[in-house]
């Protein structure tokens, strides 16, 4: 099946400033794709090129097999978009706002629109300017979701939402996936990404560094291993083991960082009187942070 | 370098005190720094206006006899007509300063007042709306102190403008003065600068006092209405007797006899202006300190009818979004037109009865083809010039609203729908132009009703008001072209510059005896005399061409550039 989103050599420069460089990825139909990266990495630039609000310096982006630039209107008919930063009409109420966007999108099911408002717990009778930040986000979410688009492009969608709102949002994402719709999601909330995404792309300093399934990312991470022995053990014995990178020894304890298989460590530990063996599974957060620290260090070395 | 950490309790007190002091001065410095461009522009425009007026009079009337003749001409006018052409109670018209004071002092004061209103309405309420005020008052600086610092910075900026006006007045006395009495003494120049400053601050203080209650836009609107209404009531009180009482309760009426440029200072009349300004500024400071940040009084039952909101599509939405501000401008211009239309009839009758033939012949020379003895003729002289400037400013505010789609990030959401860039630009531009039409219709009705109320022909002024709309639509066209090509943020400033340049061209070219083609560069010089039914086809075509061409150019530009924020 043809990918819903496909980018080839996508590059954007803002004058002398870097935007993104040679970004290439594909998002399959029915997939929830998470797009991660620190502030200024190029997430929003990528999304805005997909939506044709900014034009790529080089490369192409295709959505539903159509060129994101020349066929933007045809693409937008099937897209629901929530920008990371936005403003709507201050003087309109929430209902008037979603009604107006329902006319612009077309094909909105009023019952579904009302259901979204009820599930997100937002009072649409208030003026937009009187809403809190979270409620403004909810109104914008309704405008993006209400026409049941084939592709949802969401830039920091849960920003400002309370925990209940986040739960509802995740449930809506699950329902979108169950309906076979595709989601492209930029987020800083790693738990949200872990719980909702099939695959994750990580962008740093404008370059897409990793694209992998969420579970695989976790496997690629380092395991923090703690060994407690009955007697003293030297660190040197473990340092040479394959996959072991950092060893700190404190009396009868060893703290190791292990990448890949655990077997060599287990065998080496078994030669001693082992009291306790703790291996902590890394979270996505830890992987993400480790990945970025490594990237930053490498960049510093290059600099 | 890191700040030394406090150790003892005394150190901590000193640390907090020094931190507080540095933050306090930071608010003052930041506010002054933010307004420095506006101070230079406003001061520069006022200086140019004074130079143009002084240059025109000083070069045209170089002998005592010509001065006396011209002064006699003005004083022989009916009082009503004097009020229409300048200060209703002129003094020492045979001197350079007297003439400038008569003709331009109210204008200078009005422009300074408008800037004060814009700045003081935004200083707290605008910051609160953008969310910046919360950050500032979260520092160890009290709200009251923040408000005082902001007012102090504005007063400093206004003092600089006053100093520019005073220096210009002193200099034009030297540069253009040719007869005894033309020199403007340092004391009188300072008196003039002080008068401009206090009058402007009085208007701005209305906005500052109201902003914590009704928000930035509401406060600016009310303060502008109070200022323009006050100036009109005083200026036309001799033309329309029912305005007399109203004119005397404004600061324009209080300081009517303080004319330092004319060598007739009356410092005592400034005391009530200082008093009311102090009270209003203090009220604003206290309201800022006591009320919730950003909370304004809302009138829930006062809702715009849904049909006028324009939810049916992008064109109607653009028109609906601009409609309130367009109608507000239309009402303001319409009321102004009504007052002049109503008064014009009395003035025309008075002229026919009292004005000497010499007065009429001067006006026939200045305004060929205009019969000053008719309502339409007086409307052409007294309304169109200022009406075009105000219509241009109204168009700038509408362009600013149009540009907000992109500047505020709303365009990203809109273009995420089936709306193409081209369709957005064309429909939103046409919607903005539709708002201009609404503004023009309301203005025209005001003028026509004023003329009809005075028993004159209403149809010709009604149709003549279309000139304001044509000019405003041309300004919108320029804004759309710039916004489409360069970006939304440039649209309103470029339009503002175009309107300002047009105004200055029409003012400076005749005043400084510049070549004829310089004055012809102003679009407003090609609109004929629409209030008397004489249209200039070139101007009409130029306005429509700028409007249509602007949309076409903007659409072309919008296709090729990135959408900004």
């Amino acid at each position: 099946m043809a990918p819903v989103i496909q980018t080839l050599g996508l590059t954007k420069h803002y004058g002398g400033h870097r935007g993104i460089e040679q970004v290439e990825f594909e998002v399959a139909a029915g997939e929830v794709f998470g797009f991660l990266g620190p502030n200024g990495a190029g997430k929003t630039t990528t999304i805005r090129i997909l939506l044709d609000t900014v034009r790529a310096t080089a490369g192409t982006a295709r959505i539903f097999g159509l060129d994101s630039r020349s066929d933007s209107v045809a693409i937008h008919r099937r897209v629901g978009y929530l920008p990371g930063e936005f403003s709507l009409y201050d003087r309109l109420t929430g209902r008037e706002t979603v009604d107006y966007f329902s006319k612009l999108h077309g094909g909105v099911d009023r019952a579904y629109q009302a259901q979204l408002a009820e599930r997100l717990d937002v009072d649409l009778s208030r003026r937009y300017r009187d809403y809190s930040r979270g409620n403004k986000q909810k109104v914008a979410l309704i405008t993006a979701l209400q026409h049941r688009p084939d592709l949802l492009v969401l830039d920091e969608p849960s920003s400002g939402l309370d925990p209940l709102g986040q739960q509802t949002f995740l449930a809506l994402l699950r329902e979108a996936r169950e309906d076979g719709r595709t989601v492209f999601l930029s987020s800083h909330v790693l738990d949200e990404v872990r719980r909702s995404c099939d695959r994750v792309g990580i962008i740093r300093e404008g370059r897409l560094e990793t694209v992998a399934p969420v579970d695989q990312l976790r496997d690629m991470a380092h395991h923090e291993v703690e060994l407690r022995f009955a007697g003293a053990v030297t660190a040197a014995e473990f340092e040479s083991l394959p996959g072991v990178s950092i060893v700190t020894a404190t009396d009868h304890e060893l703290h190791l960082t292990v990448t890949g298989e655990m077997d060599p460590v287990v065998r080496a530990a078994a030669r001693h009187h082992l009291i306790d063996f703790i291996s902590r599974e890394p979270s996505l957060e830890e992987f993400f942070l480790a990945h970025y620290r490594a990237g930053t260090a490498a960049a510093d070395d290059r600099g | 370098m890191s700040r030394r950490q406090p150790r003892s309790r005394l150190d901590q007190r000193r640390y907090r005190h020094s931190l507080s002091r540095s933050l306090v001065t930071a608010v003052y410095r930041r506010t002054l720094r933010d307004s420095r461009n506006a101070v230079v522009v406003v001061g520069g425009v006022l200086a140019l206006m004074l130079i143009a007026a002084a240059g025109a009079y000083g070069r045209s009337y170089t002998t005592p006899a010509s001065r006396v003749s011209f002064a006699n001409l003005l004083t022989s006018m009916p009082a009503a007509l004097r009020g229409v052409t300048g200060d209703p109670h002129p003094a020492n018209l045979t001197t350079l300063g007297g003439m400038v004071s008569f003709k331009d002092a109210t204008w200078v004061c009005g422009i300074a007042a408008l800037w004060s209103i814009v700045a003081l309405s935004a200083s707290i309420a605008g910051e609160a709306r953008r969310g910046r005020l919360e950050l500032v008052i979260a520092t160890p600086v009290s709200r009251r102190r923040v408000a005082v610092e902001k007012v102090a910075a504005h007063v400093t900026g206004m003092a600089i403008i006053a100093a520019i006006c005073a220096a210009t007045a002193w200099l034009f006395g030297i540069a253009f003065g040719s007869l005894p009495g033309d020199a403007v003494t340092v004391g009188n120049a300072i008196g003039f600068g002080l008068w401009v400053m206090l009058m402007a601050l009085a208007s701005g203080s209305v906005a500052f006092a109201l902003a914590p209650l009704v928000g930035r836009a509401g406060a600016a609107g009310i303060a502008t209405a109070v200022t323009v209404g006050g100036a009109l009531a005083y200026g036309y009180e001799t033309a329309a007797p029912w305005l007399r009482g109203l004119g005397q309760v404004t600061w324009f009426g209080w300081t009517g006899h303080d004319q330092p440029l004319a060598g007739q200072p009356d410092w005592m009349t400034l005391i009530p202006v200082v008093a009311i300004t102090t009270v209003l500024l203090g009220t604003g400071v206290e309201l800022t300190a006591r009320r919730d940040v950003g909370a304004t009084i809302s009138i829930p039952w006062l809702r715009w009818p849904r049909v006028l909101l324009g939810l049916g599509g992008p064109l109607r939405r653009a028109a609906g979004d601009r409609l309130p501000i367009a109608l507000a401008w239309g009402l303001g211009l319409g009321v102004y037109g009504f007052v002049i239309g109503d008064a014009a009839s009395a003035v025309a009758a008075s002229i026919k009865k009292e004005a000497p033939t010499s007065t009429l012949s001067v006006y026939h020379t200045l305004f060929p083809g205009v019969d000053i003895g008719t309502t339409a003729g007086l409307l052409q002289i007294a309304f169109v010039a200022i009406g075009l400037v105000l219509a241009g400013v109204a168009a700038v505010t509408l362009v600013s609203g149009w540009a907000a789609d992109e500047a505020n990030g709303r365009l990203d959401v809109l273009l995420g729908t089936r709306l193409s860039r081209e369709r957005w630009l064309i429909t939103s531009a046409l919607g903005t132009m539709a708002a201009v039409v609404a503004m023009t219709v309301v203005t025209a009705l005001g003028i026509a009703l004023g003329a009809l109320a005075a028993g004159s022909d209403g149809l010709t002024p009604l149709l003549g008001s279309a000139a304001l709309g044509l000019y405003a639509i041309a300004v919108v066209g320029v804004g759309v072209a710039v916004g489409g090509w360069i970006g939304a943020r440039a649209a309103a400033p470029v339009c503002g510059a175009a309107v300002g340049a047009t105004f200055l061209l029409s003012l400076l070219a005749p005043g400084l005896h510049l070549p004829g083609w310089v004055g012809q560069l102003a679009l407003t010089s090609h609109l004929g005399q629409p209030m008397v039914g004489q249209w200039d086809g070139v101007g009409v075509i130029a306005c429509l061409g700028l409007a249509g061409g602007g949309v076409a150019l903007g659409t072309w530009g919008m296709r090729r550039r990135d959408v900004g924020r």
Side-chain angles (χ1 to χ4, degrees):
Chain A
M1 191 186 286
V4 170
I5 301 176
Q6 183 181 39
T7 69
L8 286 172
L10 211 55
T11 300
K12 175 68 181 175
H13 295 156
Y14 295 102
H17 297 283
R18 167 193 60 73
I20 54 173
E21 288 282 352
Q22 296 290 322
V23 170
E24 296 193 358
F25 65 89
E26 289 184 357
V27 179
E31 187 178 20
V32 179
F33 187 89
F35 203 45
L36 301 176
N39 297 331
K43 301 187 297 292
T44 299
T45 294
T46 306
I47 286 174
R48 298 188 82 216
I49 292 174
L50 294 179
L51 269 294
D52 190 42
T53 48
V54 299
R55 266 70 189 268
T57 309
T60 58
R62 298 186 78 77
I63 300 177
F64 303 122
L66 302 169
D67 183 75
S68 70
R69 180 166 176 171
S70 55
D71 300 313
S72 60
V73 174
I75 290 168
H76 294 172
R77 287 178 203 277
R78 300 171 63 186
V79 170
Y81 174 44
L82 175 69
E85 287 177 35
F86 62 88
S87 163
L88 295 173
Y89 298 99
D90 277 350
R91 283 204 303 273
L92 298 189
T93 63
R95 177 160 313 290
E96 288 160 352
T97 304
V98 296
D99 280 353
Y100 177 59
F101 278 93
S102 74
K103 286 203 173 64
L104 290 181
H105 279 298
V108 168
D109 173 2
R110 296 274 172 187
Y112 182 58
Q113 182 194 73
Q115 189 191 56
L116 285 171
E118 190 181 333
R119 289 179 65 183
L120 285 164
D121 191 25
V122 56
D123 174 9
L124 292 180
S125 66
R126 298 184 65 192
R127 283 194 204 205
Y128 182 78
R129 70 173 172 215
D130 295 332
Y131 281 129
S132 66
R133 186 177 164 207
N135 280 333
K136 284 178 179 171
Q137 189 79 2
K138 288 176 183 176
V139 171
L141 263 175
I142 295 172
T143 66
L145 292 164
Q146 62 180 342
H147 55 296
R148 298 181 195 269
D150 294 329
L151 170 64
L152 275 164
V153 179
L154 308 171
D155 193 357
E156 308 281 350
S158 60
S159 168
L161 294 184
D162 57 38
L164 283 176
Q166 288 179 15
Q167 290 290 330
T168 307
F169 168 68
L170 288 174
L172 289 168
L173 276 190
R174 277 197 298 276
E175 288 167 20
R177 179 159 54 182
E178 285 162 10
D179 289 349
R181 291 185 272 150
T182 310
V183 180
F184 185 87
L185 168 83
S186 151
S187 178
H188 282 304
V189 184
L190 298 174
D191 187 52
E192 175 180 283
V193 172
R194 182 182 62 76
R195 291 165 66 181
S196 61
C197 295
D198 302 308
R199 284 193 308 145
V200 172
I202 297 180
I203 188 169
R204 193 177 67 81
E205 293 183 357
R207 292 183 183 277
L208 190 61
E209 298 216 324
T210 310
V211 177
V214 172
D215 292 340
Q216 192 180 320
L217 281 181
R218 216 178 292 147
D219 293 342
M220 287 161 61
H222 309 293
H223 286 236
E224 298 293 327
V225 176
E226 185 181 326
L227 303 173
R228 201 143 54 84
F229 298 96
V233 178
T234 59
E237 193 179 337
F238 287 82
E239 277 172 349
S240 57
L241 295 174
V244 175
S245 55
I246 300 169
V247 181
T248 56
T250 52
D251 201 6
H252 293 186
E253 282 186 16
L254 280 181
H255 294 265
L256 317 176
T257 301
V258 183
T259 308
E261 291 187 2
M262 201 63 71
D263 187 57
V265 177
V266 174
R267 287 178 187 280
R271 290 199 285 270
H272 302 273
H273 184 181
L274 182 66
I275 294 174
D276 202 359
F277 182 109
I278 301 168
S279 174
R280 204 157 50 80
E281 186 184 353
S283 67
L284 190 60
E285 279 88 343
E286 282 167 326
F287 169 77
F288 184 76
L289 292 171
H291 188 85
Y292 271 91
R293 284 185 188 128
T296 307
D300 289 346
D301 290 346
R302 284 197 300 272
Chain B
M1 197 193 313
S2 64
R3 190 186 281 267
R4 185 174 65 85
Q5 292 301 307
R7 279 170 289 187
S8 68
R9 189 167 291 177
L10 183 64
D11 270 356
Q12 284 176 357
R13 267 211 301 275
R14 283 179 183 153
Y15 175 77
R16 277 201 297 271
H17 181 63
S18 70
L19 183 66
S20 171
R21 262 182 46 191
S22 65
L23 286 168
V24 166
T25 50
V27 171
Y28 173 81
R29 283 202 307 261
R30 181 77 250 169
T31 308
L32 196 57
R33 188 179 162 79
D34 285 349
S35 63
R36 67 190 192 281
N37 290 340
V39 168
V40 170
V41 169
V42 174
V45 167
L46 299 187
L48 282 173
M49 285 177 68
L50 289 169
I51 290 168
Y57 186 67
R59 290 181 181 182
S60 301
Y61 299 94
T62 51
T63 62
S66 64
R67 295 278 181 93
V68 170
S69 172
F70 191 69
N72 286 341
L73 193 66
L74 290 175
T75 47
S76 67
M77 284 180 186
L81 190 52
R82 282 205 303 273
V84 171
T85 50
D87 192 302
H89 308 289
N92 296 330
L93 282 171
T94 54
T95 65
L96 184 62
M99 188 62 200
V100 172
S101 184
F102 164 68
K103 194 73 188 72
D104 283 281
T106 307
W107 275 93
V108 168
C109 167
I111 290 174
L114 283 178
W115 177 65
S116 187
I117 288 168
V118 170
L120 282 178
S121 63
S123 64
I124 295 291
E127 296 276 291
R129 189 158 176 74
R130 292 189 194 98
R132 289 187 209 153
L133 189 61
E134 297 210 10
L135 290 174
V136 174
I137 62 172
T139 63
V141 185
S142 71
R143 293 185 200 194
R144 191 172 283 109
R145 197 70 195 242
V146 170
V148 168
E149 291 285 323
K150 283 188 169 287
V151 168
H154 179 72
V155 172
T156 306
M158 192 54 80
I160 294 169
I161 290 173
I164 292 171
C165 289
T168 308
W170 180 70
L171 285 170
F172 77 56
I174 296 169
F176 300 115
S178 53
L179 296 175
D182 278 354
V184 178
T185 66
V186 172
N188 283 340
I190 291 172
F192 173 66
L194 193 63
W195 176 77
V196 170
M197 175 179 161
L198 291 175
M199 296 289 280
L201 282 175
S203 298
S205 67
V206 176
F208 188 73
L210 291 173
L213 296 173
V214 297
R216 186 186 61 80
I222 294 169
T224 304
V226 167
T227 302
V228 175
L232 287 177
Y234 174 67
Y236 294 96
E237 66 177 10
T238 49
W242 57 274
L243 286 173
R244 189 161 297 155
L246 198 60
Q248 287 306 313
V249 296
T250 69
W251 33 89
F252 295 94
W254 299 342
T255 61
H257 294 286
D258 179 36
Q259 298 181 29
L261 280 185
Q264 182 188 286
D266 189 354
W267 298 79
M268 297 303 283
T269 61
L270 294 176
I271 291 173
V273 184
V274 172
I276 196 160
T277 303
T278 307
V279 168
L280 287 170
L281 290 175
T283 305
V285 169
E286 279 309 303
L287 287 174
T288 302
R290 289 164 193 246
R291 286 183 57 81
D292 295 344
V293 172
T296 53
I297 297 169
S298 61
I299 309 170
W301 46 267
L302 190 64
R303 290 282 294 136
W304 202 243
R306 188 177 165 94
V307 69
L308 292 178
L309 287 172
L311 302 178
L315 191 149
R316 276 182 278 178
R317 182 80 277 274
D321 212 34
R322 307 289 103 76
L323 201 54
I325 190 82
L327 290 182
W329 274 108
L331 276 173
L333 280 164
V335 168
Y336 175 45
F338 178 86
V339 169
I340 298 202
D342 186 35
S345 177
V347 174
S350 174
I351 289 168
K352 274 190 172 167
K353 190 176 162 193
E354 299 174 33
T357 312
S358 56
T359 303
L360 294 177
S361 67
V362 167
Y363 270 92
H364 283 308
T365 309
L366 291 171
F367 305 101
V370 178
D371 182 358
I372 195 165
T374 64
T375 302
L378 271 167
L379 276 170
Q380 177 63 39
I381 293 167
F383 178 77
V384 172
I386 185 172
L388 283 171
V389 175
L390 292 174
V393 175
V396 174
T397 62
L398 293 174
V399 166
S400 175
W402 169 80
D405 263 3
E406 185 174 357
N408 292 350
R410 194 159 53 215
L411 190 54
D412 276 34
V413 191
L414 290 167
L415 294 182
T417 68
R418 295 180 297 175
L419 192 62
S420 68
R421 290 161 173 243
E422 296 86 344
R423 192 167 157 231
W424 169 77
L425 191 129
I426 292 168
T427 53
S428 61
L430 291 179
T432 305
M433 290 176 182
V436 169
V437 171
M439 175 188 82
T440 310
V441 167
V442 174
T443 305
L445 285 174
I447 294 171
L449 285 174
L452 287 173
S456 303
D457 163 38
L459 185 61
T460 308
L462 183 88
L463 297 174
S465 306
L468 306 184
L470 279 170
Y471 178 56
I473 278 182
V475 173
V476 170
V478 170
V480 169
V482 172
W485 260 92
I486 301 169
R489 288 182 198 282
V494 170
C495 283
V499 170
T502 303
F503 170 63
L504 286 175
L505 274 174
S506 59
L507 190 76
L508 292 175
L512 297 180
H513 299 283
L514 298 175
W517 62 267
V518 177
Q520 295 293 306
L521 290 174
L523 179 60
T524 49
S525 67
H526 297 282
L527 288 171
Q529 294 168 349
M531 287 296 170
V532 293
Q534 293 174 9
W535 287 87
D536 185 340
V538 173
V540 173
I541 291 168
C543 287
L544 294 175
L546 280 170
V551 174
L553 205 62
T555 307
W556 185 22
M558 194 70 198
R559 293 177 65 158
R560 42 170 283 283
R561 72 169 174 87
D562 291 344
V563 173
R565 282 190 178 162

